[in-house]
Amino acid sequence: MLKLLFQLQSIEAAERAVHNEKKNSAEYQRLCALKADFEREKHEWQELNEQIAQIEQALFAYPALIKELREKCEAEKQAIYDGSINSTKELDARQSQAAAHEQKLAEAEQEAAGLGEKKAALDARQAELKQQMEGVYQQFMQTKEQFQQRQAQWQAHERKLAEQKAALVKDIDPDSLSWFEQNRDKFHGSPVARLDAKHVCSGCRTIVPPVTYKRTVLGQKTFCEKCSRILFVDGD
């Protein structure tokens, strides 16, 4: 029975090896890296989109404000030069008012220009990001196709191992199988160890004492003194 359990854990080890090969494959690692790049660029694109929307909202108010300030400037200048002002005091006041409007107009135009430049820079970066994302997506799909080709081989191997495992489990009594499942994790998937002709434990590569080997050969229940795995000797 221990021999069958040893074969079972060997099959499970092969299943883990296939799983690890899949995870550690260059294609899988490349897919993960490309996905991370795409998500990072997508996040930046969304942040830029929000910033652009905020700028567009701010810019929406500037044309009307600039038009209003220009009209006020023109009105003050018109009042100054049309001869309707009769006193120096009123003239000074209108000139000060005109200067204030011109200052606000200049500031508004400068702010609008600055926001426009900032929006243009964000638009350019967003367009650049879009191209990058398209390139990453194309690379992802190409790599995915390569990965799927290898995955078909892995899946075929996994199906074969699953069939072998199912056939083997039928020949193992429930109590032995239950013991194996309870101790699997404790010994990292291999609670059963085989002794070779040199008395070496397959679990920890330690040479067991001759008496332990002899008792194992006789079918007695023995354990490795180093790793505590249950031992058996393959009689075939």
Side-chain angles (χ1 to χ4, degrees):
M1 192 57 62
L2 290 177
K3 181 179 178 179
L4 294 178
L5 291 176
F6 186 79
Q7 293 174 353
L8 175 60
Q9 72 185 25
S10 297
I11 291 175
E12 291 184 346
E15 289 176 330
R16 290 193 297 271
V18 173
H19 178 73
N20 290 333
E21 182 182 354
K22 189 187 307 181
K23 284 182 61 179
N24 296 325
S25 68
E27 293 84 359
Y28 182 81
Q29 296 297 325
R30 180 62 173 160
L31 284 175
C32 292
L34 288 170
K35 183 179 179 180
D37 289 343
F38 186 86
E39 290 298 326
R40 183 172 57 254
E41 291 171 352
K42 179 182 177 181
H43 180 70
E44 183 181 352
W45 190 90
Q46 290 172 337
E47 287 184 338
L48 288 173
N49 206 41
E50 292 176 1
Q51 294 176 32
I52 290 171
Q54 292 173 356
I55 291 175
E56 289 176 341
Q57 185 176 2
L59 282 172
F60 181 78
Y62 275 94
L65 175 61
I66 291 173
K67 180 181 179 182
E68 179 185 354
L69 290 171
R70 283 176 178 169
E71 290 175 350
K72 288 181 177 180
C73 287
E74 290 299 322
E76 294 298 333
K77 290 178 181 179
Q78 183 66 28
I80 291 172
Y81 296 112
D82 66 2
S84 60
I85 300 176
N86 299 319
S87 67
T88 304
K89 182 177 180 180
E90 183 180 356
L91 178 61
D92 290 341
R94 300 303 289 267
Q95 287 176 333
S96 296
Q97 189 69 18
H101 288 323
E102 287 177 350
Q103 177 65 27
K104 290 180 179 180
L105 175 61
E107 291 174 353
E109 290 176 336
Q110 185 176 4
E111 290 172 359
L115 287 173
E117 291 175 359
K118 185 175 181 180
K119 181 180 180 300
L122 294 177
D123 285 338
R125 175 55 182 160
Q126 195 176 49
E128 180 184 3
L129 271 175
K130 184 178 180 181
Q131 289 183 341
Q132 291 177 0
M133 290 167 66
E134 290 174 349
V136 169
Y137 179 76
Q138 291 177 357
Q139 294 179 53
F140 182 88
M141 295 306 295
Q142 292 172 357
T143 306
K144 183 179 179 181
E145 182 177 353
Q146 297 170 358
F147 178 76
Q148 288 175 334
Q149 291 174 356
R150 293 199 63 189
Q151 190 175 41
Q153 300 173 350
W154 291 321
Q155 289 175 340
H157 192 185
E158 287 173 334
R159 285 194 297 270
K160 183 178 179 180
L161 289 172
E163 291 172 358
Q164 294 175 352
K165 183 176 179 179
L168 187 61
V169 167
K170 291 180 181 179
D171 295 330
I172 301 175
D173 65 83
D175 289 341
S176 297
L177 186 61
S178 176
W179 173 88
F180 177 82
E181 292 173 346
Q182 290 173 6
N183 288 274
R184 180 195 288 120
D185 293 341
K186 179 181 178 181
F187 294 96
H188 307 289
S190 59
V192 181
R194 179 174 58 191
L195 293 178
D196 62 17
K198 296 182 179 180
H199 304 185
V200 177
C201 168
S202 64
C204 63
R205 309 310 301 170
T206 298
I207 298 176
V208 303
V211 63
T212 301
Y213 181 80
K214 184 175 181 180
R215 288 174 178 172
T216 306
V217 171
L218 293 174
Q220 297 179 20
K221 192 173 185 179
T222 59
F223 297 89
C224 176
E225 295 179 2
K226 176 71 178 295
C227 67
S228 300
R229 289 176 170 86
I230 193 168
L231 302 172
F232 84 101
V233 174
D234 192 348
D236 295 338

PDB file of all heavy atoms in Angstrom, residues 31-54:
ATOM      1  N   LEU A  31       2.990  37.935 -19.743  1.00  0.00           N
ATOM      2  CA  LEU A  31       1.585  38.340 -19.669  1.00  0.00           C
ATOM      3  C   LEU A  31       1.321  39.162 -18.412  1.00  0.00           C
ATOM      4  O   LEU A  31       0.630  40.189 -18.459  1.00  0.00           O
ATOM      5  CB  LEU A  31       0.673  37.114 -19.685  1.00  0.00           C
ATOM      6  CG  LEU A  31       0.467  36.413 -21.037  1.00  0.00           C
ATOM      7  CD1 LEU A  31      -0.357  35.153 -20.854  1.00  0.00           C
ATOM      8  CD2 LEU A  31      -0.200  37.349 -22.035  1.00  0.00           C
ATOM      9  N   CYS A  32       1.861  38.712 -17.287  1.00  0.00           N
ATOM     10  CA  CYS A  32       1.676  39.442 -16.021  1.00  0.00           C
ATOM     11  C   CYS A  32       2.296  40.829 -16.093  1.00  0.00           C
ATOM     12  O   CYS A  32       1.705  41.812 -15.635  1.00  0.00           O
ATOM     13  CB  CYS A  32       2.279  38.647 -14.866  1.00  0.00           C
ATOM     14  SG  CYS A  32       1.408  37.106 -14.497  1.00  0.00           S
ATOM     15  N   ALA A  33       3.501  40.910 -16.675  1.00  0.00           N
ATOM     16  CA  ALA A  33       4.189  42.205 -16.783  1.00  0.00           C
ATOM     17  C   ALA A  33       3.424  43.147 -17.708  1.00  0.00           C
ATOM     18  O   ALA A  33       3.256  44.341 -17.397  1.00  0.00           O
ATOM     19  CB  ALA A  33       5.608  41.991 -17.296  1.00  0.00           C
ATOM     20  N   LEU A  34       2.935  42.630 -18.831  1.00  0.00           N
ATOM     21  CA  LEU A  34       2.184  43.461 -19.776  1.00  0.00           C
ATOM     22  C   LEU A  34       0.868  43.933 -19.165  1.00  0.00           C
ATOM     23  O   LEU A  34       0.452  45.086 -19.366  1.00  0.00           O
ATOM     24  CB  LEU A  34       1.914  42.678 -21.067  1.00  0.00           C
ATOM     25  CG  LEU A  34       3.126  42.437 -21.963  1.00  0.00           C
ATOM     26  CD1 LEU A  34       2.784  41.461 -23.075  1.00  0.00           C
ATOM     27  CD2 LEU A  34       3.631  43.755 -22.553  1.00  0.00           C
ATOM     28  N   LYS A  35       0.217  43.054 -18.420  1.00  0.00           N
ATOM     29  CA  LYS A  35      -1.033  43.436 -17.755  1.00  0.00           C
ATOM     30  C   LYS A  35      -0.783  44.545 -16.746  1.00  0.00           C
ATOM     31  O   LYS A  35      -1.560  45.501 -16.654  1.00  0.00           O
ATOM     32  CB  LYS A  35      -1.658  42.227 -17.068  1.00  0.00           C
ATOM     33  CG  LYS A  35      -3.006  42.533 -16.412  1.00  0.00           C
ATOM     34  CD  LYS A  35      -3.601  41.300 -15.770  1.00  0.00           C
ATOM     35  CE  LYS A  35      -4.936  41.641 -15.103  1.00  0.00           C
ATOM     36  NZ  LYS A  35      -5.546  40.446 -14.453  1.00  0.00           N
ATOM     37  N   ALA A  36       0.316  44.422 -15.992  1.00  0.00           N
ATOM     38  CA  ALA A  36       0.653  45.449 -15.008  1.00  0.00           C
ATOM     39  C   ALA A  36       0.949  46.780 -15.698  1.00  0.00           C
ATOM     40  O   ALA A  36       0.519  47.851 -15.238  1.00  0.00           O
ATOM     41  CB  ALA A  36       1.856  45.007 -14.177  1.00  0.00           C
ATOM     42  N   ASP A  37       1.676  46.723 -16.824  1.00  0.00           N
ATOM     43  CA  ASP A  37       1.969  47.941 -17.581  1.00  0.00           C
ATOM     44  C   ASP A  37       0.680  48.586 -18.085  1.00  0.00           C
ATOM     45  O   ASP A  37       0.509  49.814 -18.002  1.00  0.00           O
ATOM     46  CB  ASP A  37       2.872  47.621 -18.780  1.00  0.00           C
ATOM     47  CG  ASP A  37       4.293  47.278 -18.358  1.00  0.00           C
ATOM     48  OD1 ASP A  37       4.663  47.598 -17.207  1.00  0.00           O
ATOM     49  OD2 ASP A  37       5.027  46.686 -19.178  1.00  0.00           O
ATOM     50  N   PHE A  38      -0.203  47.764 -18.612  1.00  0.00           N
ATOM     51  CA  PHE A  38      -1.465  48.284 -19.157  1.00  0.00           C
ATOM     52  C   PHE A  38      -2.302  48.927 -18.059  1.00  0.00           C
ATOM     53  O   PHE A  38      -2.867  50.024 -18.256  1.00  0.00           O
ATOM     54  CB  PHE A  38      -2.251  47.159 -19.826  1.00  0.00           C
ATOM     55  CG  PHE A  38      -3.491  47.625 -20.535  1.00  0.00           C
ATOM     56  CD1 PHE A  38      -3.434  48.087 -21.840  1.00  0.00           C
ATOM     57  CD2 PHE A  38      -4.729  47.620 -19.895  1.00  0.00           C
ATOM     58  CE1 PHE A  38      -4.571  48.529 -22.489  1.00  0.00           C
ATOM     59  CE2 PHE A  38      -5.872  48.065 -20.535  1.00  0.00           C
ATOM     60  CZ  PHE A  38      -5.790  48.516 -21.844  1.00  0.00           C
ATOM     61  N   GLU A  39      -2.390  48.274 -16.904  1.00  0.00           N
ATOM     62  CA  GLU A  39      -3.186  48.810 -15.802  1.00  0.00           C
ATOM     63  C   GLU A  39      -2.597  50.123 -15.292  1.00  0.00           C
ATOM     64  O   GLU A  39      -3.338  51.049 -14.960  1.00  0.00           O
ATOM     65  CB  GLU A  39      -3.262  47.791 -14.660  1.00  0.00           C
ATOM     66  CG  GLU A  39      -4.101  46.563 -14.984  1.00  0.00           C
ATOM     67  CD  GLU A  39      -5.559  46.912 -15.273  1.00  0.00           C
ATOM     68  OE1 GLU A  39      -6.082  47.856 -14.655  1.00  0.00           O
ATOM     69  OE2 GLU A  39      -6.171  46.253 -16.133  1.00  0.00           O
ATOM     70  N   ARG A  40      -1.265  50.191 -15.231  1.00  0.00           N
ATOM     71  CA  ARG A  40      -0.610  51.422 -14.785  1.00  0.00           C
ATOM     72  C   ARG A  40      -0.879  52.574 -15.770  1.00  0.00           C
ATOM     73  O   ARG A  40      -1.208  53.695 -15.364  1.00  0.00           O
ATOM     74  CB  ARG A  40       0.891  51.187 -14.649  1.00  0.00           C
ATOM     75  CG  ARG A  40       1.657  52.393 -14.124  1.00  0.00           C
ATOM     76  CD  ARG A  40       3.107  52.055 -13.821  1.00  0.00           C
ATOM     77  NE  ARG A  40       3.801  51.521 -14.978  1.00  0.00           N
ATOM     78  CZ  ARG A  40       4.131  50.250 -15.145  1.00  0.00           C
ATOM     79  NH1 ARG A  40       3.818  49.362 -14.214  1.00  0.00           N
ATOM     80  NH2 ARG A  40       4.754  49.842 -16.227  1.00  0.00           N
ATOM     81  N   GLU A  41      -0.751  52.283 -17.061  1.00  0.00           N
ATOM     82  CA  GLU A  41      -1.001  53.312 -18.070  1.00  0.00           C
ATOM     83  C   GLU A  41      -2.483  53.701 -18.109  1.00  0.00           C
ATOM     84  O   GLU A  41      -2.820  54.873 -18.306  1.00  0.00           O
ATOM     85  CB  GLU A  41      -0.546  52.793 -19.437  1.00  0.00           C
ATOM     86  CG  GLU A  41       0.971  52.664 -19.542  1.00  0.00           C
ATOM     87  CD  GLU A  41       1.404  51.952 -20.802  1.00  0.00           C
ATOM     88  OE1 GLU A  41       0.526  51.422 -21.526  1.00  0.00           O
ATOM     89  OE2 GLU A  41       2.622  51.909 -21.070  1.00  0.00           O
ATOM     90  N   LYS A  42      -3.352  52.719 -17.912  1.00  0.00           N
ATOM     91  CA  LYS A  42      -4.788  53.000 -17.872  1.00  0.00           C
ATOM     92  C   LYS A  42      -5.123  53.914 -16.703  1.00  0.00           C
ATOM     93  O   LYS A  42      -5.927  54.857 -16.845  1.00  0.00           O
ATOM     94  CB  LYS A  42      -5.566  51.686 -17.754  1.00  0.00           C
ATOM     95  CG  LYS A  42      -7.081  51.865 -17.686  1.00  0.00           C
ATOM     96  CD  LYS A  42      -7.770  50.514 -17.528  1.00  0.00           C
ATOM     97  CE  LYS A  42      -9.278  50.677 -17.375  1.00  0.00           C
ATOM     98  NZ  LYS A  42      -9.948  49.363 -17.188  1.00  0.00           N
ATOM     99  N   HIS A  43      -4.506  53.655 -15.549  1.00  0.00           N
ATOM    100  CA  HIS A  43      -4.739  54.495 -14.366  1.00  0.00           C
ATOM    101  C   HIS A  43      -4.270  55.922 -14.630  1.00  0.00           C
ATOM    102  O   HIS A  43      -4.978  56.888 -14.285  1.00  0.00           O
ATOM    103  CB  HIS A  43      -4.003  53.912 -13.166  1.00  0.00           C
ATOM    104  CG  HIS A  43      -4.171  54.702 -11.901  1.00  0.00           C
ATOM    105  ND1 HIS A  43      -5.369  54.768 -11.212  1.00  0.00           N
ATOM    106  CD2 HIS A  43      -3.305  55.498 -11.210  1.00  0.00           C
ATOM    107  CE1 HIS A  43      -5.225  55.547 -10.158  1.00  0.00           C
ATOM    108  NE2 HIS A  43      -3.993  55.997 -10.136  1.00  0.00           N
ATOM    109  N   GLU A  44      -3.104  56.067 -15.241  1.00  0.00           N
ATOM    110  CA  GLU A  44      -2.597  57.416 -15.561  1.00  0.00           C
ATOM    111  C   GLU A  44      -3.515  58.096 -16.569  1.00  0.00           C
ATOM    112  O   GLU A  44      -3.797  59.296 -16.442  1.00  0.00           O
ATOM    113  CB  GLU A  44      -1.180  57.320 -16.122  1.00  0.00           C
ATOM    114  CG  GLU A  44      -0.566  58.685 -16.413  1.00  0.00           C
ATOM    115  CD  GLU A  44       0.836  58.621 -16.997  1.00  0.00           C
ATOM    116  OE1 GLU A  44       1.405  57.500 -17.046  1.00  0.00           O
ATOM    117  OE2 GLU A  44       1.356  59.666 -17.421  1.00  0.00           O
ATOM    118  N   TRP A  45      -3.990  57.340 -17.563  1.00  0.00           N
ATOM    119  CA  TRP A  45      -4.883  57.916 -18.577  1.00  0.00           C
ATOM    120  C   TRP A  45      -6.169  58.434 -17.922  1.00  0.00           C
ATOM    121  O   TRP A  45      -6.659  59.512 -18.267  1.00  0.00           O
ATOM    122  CB  TRP A  45      -5.219  56.847 -19.620  1.00  0.00           C
ATOM    123  CG  TRP A  45      -5.937  57.378 -20.832  1.00  0.00           C
ATOM    124  CD1 TRP A  45      -5.388  57.838 -21.983  1.00  0.00           C
ATOM    125  CD2 TRP A  45      -7.360  57.505 -20.998  1.00  0.00           C
ATOM    126  NE1 TRP A  45      -6.350  58.241 -22.856  1.00  0.00           N
ATOM    127  CE2 TRP A  45      -7.584  58.054 -22.280  1.00  0.00           C
ATOM    128  CE3 TRP A  45      -8.455  57.229 -20.198  1.00  0.00           C
ATOM    129  CZ2 TRP A  45      -8.853  58.313 -22.772  1.00  0.00           C
ATOM    130  CZ3 TRP A  45      -9.721  57.482 -20.684  1.00  0.00           C
ATOM    131  CH2 TRP A  45      -9.915  58.011 -21.955  1.00  0.00           C
ATOM    132  N   GLN A  46      -6.711  57.684 -16.982  1.00  0.00           N
ATOM    133  CA  GLN A  46      -7.933  58.102 -16.292  1.00  0.00           C
ATOM    134  C   GLN A  46      -7.684  59.361 -15.452  1.00  0.00           C
ATOM    135  O   GLN A  46      -8.542  60.250 -15.397  1.00  0.00           O
ATOM    136  CB  GLN A  46      -8.446  56.958 -15.414  1.00  0.00           C
ATOM    137  CG  GLN A  46      -8.992  55.783 -16.201  1.00  0.00           C
ATOM    138  CD  GLN A  46      -9.326  54.588 -15.335  1.00  0.00           C
ATOM    139  OE1 GLN A  46      -8.790  54.435 -14.231  1.00  0.00           O
ATOM    140  NE2 GLN A  46     -10.201  53.721 -15.811  1.00  0.00           N
ATOM    141  N   GLU A  47      -6.532  59.428 -14.802  1.00  0.00           N
ATOM    142  CA  GLU A  47      -6.192  60.619 -14.018  1.00  0.00           C
ATOM    143  C   GLU A  47      -6.065  61.834 -14.936  1.00  0.00           C
ATOM    144  O   GLU A  47      -6.547  62.930 -14.599  1.00  0.00           O
ATOM    145  CB  GLU A  47      -4.888  60.402 -13.256  1.00  0.00           C
ATOM    146  CG  GLU A  47      -5.012  59.453 -12.075  1.00  0.00           C
ATOM    147  CD  GLU A  47      -3.725  59.352 -11.287  1.00  0.00           C
ATOM    148  OE1 GLU A  47      -2.651  59.653 -11.859  1.00  0.00           O
ATOM    149  OE2 GLU A  47      -3.784  59.000 -10.083  1.00  0.00           O
ATOM    150  N   LEU A  48      -5.423  61.650 -16.079  1.00  0.00           N
ATOM    151  CA  LEU A  48      -5.295  62.744 -17.050  1.00  0.00           C
ATOM    152  C   LEU A  48      -6.671  63.178 -17.545  1.00  0.00           C
ATOM    153  O   LEU A  48      -6.924  64.371 -17.729  1.00  0.00           O
ATOM    154  CB  LEU A  48      -4.434  62.294 -18.236  1.00  0.00           C
ATOM    155  CG  LEU A  48      -2.937  62.123 -17.967  1.00  0.00           C
ATOM    156  CD1 LEU A  48      -2.256  61.516 -19.180  1.00  0.00           C
ATOM    157  CD2 LEU A  48      -2.294  63.457 -17.624  1.00  0.00           C
ATOM    158  N   ASN A  49      -7.533  62.215 -17.762  1.00  0.00           N
ATOM    159  CA  ASN A  49      -8.882  62.515 -18.246  1.00  0.00           C
ATOM    160  C   ASN A  49      -9.631  63.404 -17.243  1.00  0.00           C
ATOM    161  O   ASN A  49     -10.334  64.346 -17.636  1.00  0.00           O
ATOM    162  CB  ASN A  49      -9.649  61.219 -18.464  1.00  0.00           C
ATOM    163  CG  ASN A  49     -10.744  61.353 -19.505  1.00  0.00           C
ATOM    164  OD1 ASN A  49     -10.544  61.986 -20.536  1.00  0.00           O
ATOM    165  ND2 ASN A  49     -11.891  60.780 -19.235  1.00  0.00           N
ATOM    166  N   GLU A  50      -9.461  63.096 -15.962  1.00  0.00           N
ATOM    167  CA  GLU A  50     -10.095  63.898 -14.912  1.00  0.00           C
ATOM    168  C   GLU A  50      -9.507  65.312 -14.882  1.00  0.00           C
ATOM    169  O   GLU A  50     -10.241  66.297 -14.751  1.00  0.00           O
ATOM    170  CB  GLU A  50      -9.928  63.222 -13.561  1.00  0.00           C
ATOM    171  CG  GLU A  50     -10.697  61.915 -13.424  1.00  0.00           C
ATOM    172  CD  GLU A  50     -10.440  61.218 -12.103  1.00  0.00           C
ATOM    173  OE1 GLU A  50      -9.670  61.783 -11.292  1.00  0.00           O
ATOM    174  OE2 GLU A  50     -11.001  60.126 -11.869  1.00  0.00           O
ATOM    175  N   GLN A  51      -8.192  65.419 -15.002  1.00  0.00           N
ATOM    176  CA  GLN A  51      -7.545  66.729 -14.998  1.00  0.00           C
ATOM    177  C   GLN A  51      -7.982  67.559 -16.202  1.00  0.00           C
ATOM    178  O   GLN A  51      -8.238  68.762 -16.083  1.00  0.00           O
ATOM    179  CB  GLN A  51      -6.026  66.562 -15.004  1.00  0.00           C
ATOM    180  CG  GLN A  51      -5.466  65.929 -13.748  1.00  0.00           C
ATOM    181  CD  GLN A  51      -3.972  65.703 -13.832  1.00  0.00           C
ATOM    182  OE1 GLN A  51      -3.248  66.465 -14.471  1.00  0.00           O
ATOM    183  NE2 GLN A  51      -3.500  64.640 -13.196  1.00  0.00           N
ATOM    184  N   ILE A  52      -8.064  66.917 -17.361  1.00  0.00           N
ATOM    185  CA  ILE A  52      -8.500  67.618 -18.580  1.00  0.00           C
ATOM    186  C   ILE A  52      -9.934  68.114 -18.425  1.00  0.00           C
ATOM    187  O   ILE A  52     -10.266  69.236 -18.815  1.00  0.00           O
ATOM    188  CB  ILE A  52      -8.362  66.692 -19.805  1.00  0.00           C
ATOM    189  CG1 ILE A  52      -6.873  66.463 -20.117  1.00  0.00           C
ATOM    190  CG2 ILE A  52      -9.068  67.291 -21.023  1.00  0.00           C
ATOM    191  CD1 ILE A  52      -6.634  65.395 -21.166  1.00  0.00           C
ATOM    192  N   ALA A  53     -10.789  67.289 -17.849  1.00  0.00           N
ATOM    193  CA  ALA A  53     -12.182  67.690 -17.638  1.00  0.00           C
ATOM    194  C   ALA A  53     -12.270  68.902 -16.710  1.00  0.00           C
ATOM    195  O   ALA A  53     -13.071  69.819 -16.933  1.00  0.00           O
ATOM    196  CB  ALA A  53     -12.978  66.520 -17.056  1.00  0.00           C
ATOM    197  N   GLN A  54     -11.444  68.909 -15.680  1.00  0.00           N
ATOM    198  CA  GLN A  54     -11.430  70.044 -14.748  1.00  0.00           C
ATOM    199  C   GLN A  54     -10.962  71.319 -15.448  1.00  0.00           C
ATOM    200  O   GLN A  54     -11.521  72.404 -15.235  1.00  0.00           O
ATOM    201  CB  GLN A  54     -10.531  69.731 -13.554  1.00  0.00           C
ATOM    202  CG  GLN A  54     -11.072  68.631 -12.654  1.00  0.00           C
ATOM    203  CD  GLN A  54     -10.095  68.231 -11.571  1.00  0.00           C
ATOM    204  OE1 GLN A  54      -8.961  68.716 -11.514  1.00  0.00           O
ATOM    205  NE2 GLN A  54     -10.512  67.326 -10.684  1.00  0.00           N
TER     206      GLN A  54
END
